[in-house]
Amino acid sequence: MSPDFELIPTRDDLGHVLDRVAHRGRTAVVMTMGALHEGHATLVRAAREHVGRDGYVLVTVFVNPLQFGAGEDLDRYPRTLEADLATAERAGANAVFAPSAGEVYPGGEPQVRITAGPMGERLEGASRPGHFDGMLTVVAKLLHLTRPDVAFFGQKDAQQLALIRRMVRDLNFPVEIVGVPTVREPDGLALSSRNRYLSPAERRTALSLSAALFAARDRLAAQQALLARAETLPASESRAEALSRIGEARAAADAHAVAAAAPGRGAHAVRAAARAVLDEAAKAEPPLCLDYVALVDPADFTDVPDDHTGEAVLAVAAKVGATRLIDNLPLTLGAPA
């Protein structure tokens, strides 16, 4: 490690370091559970760019036991601190705060915790009861301990990011929350520490998660292109009939599609396109075991109606073998202007 890069193991050490660098300008924090990959490195680089050369970028590495439920992978969750330190330093961090559980929870598991509320009971919260309460509790503690001006989180954990933003707003935390787009591997799979658990065959099946999202995105784009054409071809139904009469079958089918295009059906098309890919993956070997696929309002993660226009998040979670994976894609629904 460079002499300018630090490993900080305790809360007291962290306090001394933060006092020492308080004059340097803005401080950014990137919270992780370790096993750092390119997605985490992207967050660190974004933090460095945000605070500038003279700012201070701190990465936290802590596997939080509060957010693991019964039967989840706390014990086998990868712990690779030496590699994490190298990744964080290369990406531009000044230090890594890597406390023990006893440092974060000196009296054992806390009796008073942050509660995620109704938003934390949907989707991931329904599948993993208590997960978001544990996540918000440790994020709140780490925000207090690290005292950042800005904190960076990945959009891959979209519901987590939305809950952190809500907690910061509702409880008046003096910190800016920045979301960074999901980083993907060349084949489209969202980067995750859990990807290392997948066998080659399981990985092939796991690709259906991103494939479903991309199919939905492409179907939405195609539908909105049809709507744009329908706006300029008000007589497309009669044109379609005329093309049919002279035997121009392909042109007639296209014209019929334009004529049938209706605004306010984007959500239905998105759900159907994603579901078709996931249904096929359920027949694969090994199969995809779908937990949920949902098109939700990014503000509260409630399902959007079929006539929804505006921002939405298409979220999916599934198991392949023993590995549970999540992914999502932000979308904008609505007829063209």
Side-chain angles (χ1 to χ4, degrees), residues 316-332:
V316 61
K319 264 192 169 184
V320 183
T323 304
R324 189 174 186 277
L325 300 170
I326 62 172
D327 203 349
N328 72 85
L329 197 65
L331 298 170
T332 302

Side-chain angles (χ1 to χ4, degrees), residues 111-131:
Q111 295 187 39
V112 177
R113 308 186 186 196
I114 302 289
T115 300
M119 184 176 166
E121 297 171 358
R122 301 172 187 133
L123 300 186
E124 283 298 288
S127 297
R128 305 176 66 189
H131 166 71

